Amino acid sequence: MELQIKERNHFQYIDEGSGEVLLLLHGLFGALSNWHDVVDSFRGEYRVIIPLLPIYDMPLLKAGVPGLVNFVEDFLAELGLTEPMAVLGNSLGGHVALVYTLHNPAHVGRLVLTGSSGLFEDSMGSSFPKRGNYDFVQQRVAYTFYDPQIATKELVDEVFNVTNSNAKCLRIISIARSAQRHNLSKELHNIQVPVLLVWGLNDTITPPVVAHEFYRLLPQAELRFLDHCGHAPMMERPVAFNQLLHQFLHRTQPQPVD
């Protein structure tokens, strides 16, 4: 299935299916295609929406977690979506999902986090992107997965082209530093909706200890680990990820908070 990208004003997004909304948020080096298998599996029962986050071209002064949350709020207002939805976020997208939920509790019925930042993450290792260094980019992309074969040349080329732009690199660095500064440990107790945590047991960017800490701090969380899986379970273990997501959505009912 080829994902059809829609455009509305300055927003680009996927919008497939009908029913309760599943809002999917990708990570720092992510793309709409990261959620391909989720869209394919759930569009028959849900309305699956994925905005393309403006990570590489948002105003530099707004390039951070709060700016991305504002973008999501503006996007949902543009589509006229006010009913409670299930929000899914991977990596930085999970961080944005958490802050969005804290700011808009009445609009989130359920939350799914996978490899989320917000407590700790090591997306850059010990350094930030190096312009023009293909080997460095290849290493960082492979670092995302348990199976480095998933870091295809096409995926590495896509990230390399981004990091080869000074303007885009500046925004990536600004957003990554914002994520590292924006620790949510003292706020997570305010999230009262059911939360599913799906974590790769071999995640080196947000290691399993991070998942355990989210589980401890979120009042209604359940935690599931997938073995032989890194930082992007929906890409690396799509069948198992979708099964856990199906079970969670069928087992829990939307619980908006007034």
Side-chain angles (χ1 to χ4, degrees):
M1 177 199 69
E2 188 69 29
L3 296 179
Q4 297 298 314
I5 299 176
K6 298 184 176 181
E7 293 195 25
R8 184 160 165 171
N9 285 340
H10 59 287
F11 298 107
Q12 291 183 298
Y13 60 101
I14 303 294
D15 189 349
E16 297 278 348
S18 60
E20 181 192 352
V21 172
L22 302 187
L23 179 71
L24 280 45
L25 302 175
H26 63 76
L28 185 61
F29 290 107
L32 300 175
S33 60
N34 293 172
W35 297 103
H36 186 285
D37 289 289
V38 175
V39 177
D40 209 20
S41 184
F42 287 85
R43 62 180 180 154
E45 191 176 349
Y46 297 89
R47 182 181 177 188
V48 185
I49 298 177
I50 321 171
L52 181 62
L53 299 178
I55 287 168
Y56 308 130
D57 52 15
M58 65 194 304
L60 190 56
L61 289 176
K62 295 183 178 180
V65 172
L68 289 169
V69 172
N70 290 339
F71 173 88
V72 171
E73 290 170 341
D74 291 345
F75 169 70
L76 294 173
E78 175 67 29
L79 294 191
L81 294 173
T82 57
E83 71 272 18
M85 65 192 85
V87 182
L88 290 70
N90 171 238
S91 195
L92 174 71
H95 202 154
V96 173
L98 286 163
V99 179
Y100 175 82
T101 303
L102 287 164
H103 290 182
N104 304 274
H107 293 172
V108 180
R110 291 173 286 182
L111 192 56
V112 179
L113 304 174
T114 181
S116 178
S117 61
L119 294 177
F120 168 84
E121 54 90 30
D122 186 27
S123 62
M124 303 295 180
S126 58
S127 58
F128 289 106
K130 297 178 180 176
R131 182 169 178 262
N133 188 329
Y134 190 88
D135 289 340
F136 173 82
V137 171
Q138 189 170 37
Q139 177 189 347
R140 301 317 301 168
V141 175
Y143 187 63
T144 302
F145 304 104
Y146 171 76
D147 178 4
Q149 296 301 313
I150 294 179
T152 61
K153 185 177 186 304
E154 182 182 18
L155 192 59
V156 174
D157 287 349
E158 185 179 338
V159 176
F160 178 74
N161 289 336
V162 168
T163 60
N164 212 27
S165 158
N166 275 340
K168 291 178 181 179
C169 253
L170 283 172
R171 284 158 177 79
I172 291 168
I173 292 168
S174 177
I175 292 168
R177 287 179 172 159
S178 169
Q180 289 168 349
R181 287 194 308 268
H182 206 94
N183 188 287
L184 298 174
S185 57
K186 292 183 171 61
E187 301 175 62
L188 293 181
H189 69 276
N190 292 315
I191 294 179
Q192 297 294 327
V193 297
V195 181
L196 173 65
L197 304 165
V198 183
W199 235 259
L201 205 53
N202 313 97
D203 188 342
T204 52
I205 294 173
T206 48
V209 64
V210 179
H212 284 293
E213 188 67 358
F214 272 118
Y215 178 67
R216 185 180 73 83
L217 293 171
L218 288 160
Q220 290 201 61
E222 54 184 272
L223 174 57
R224 300 288 182 267
F225 283 108
L226 295 176
D227 201 2
H228 301 125
C229 183
H231 189 56
M234 73 286 184
M235 295 175 69
E236 193 157 20
R237 295 287 308 279
V239 174
F241 178 87
N242 288 341
Q243 184 177 28
L244 290 172
L245 180 54
H246 267 298
Q247 291 168 352
F248 173 72
L249 292 174
H250 288 164
R251 187 171 60 252
T252 58
Q253 294 299 318
Q255 297 183 23
V257 178
D258 292 331

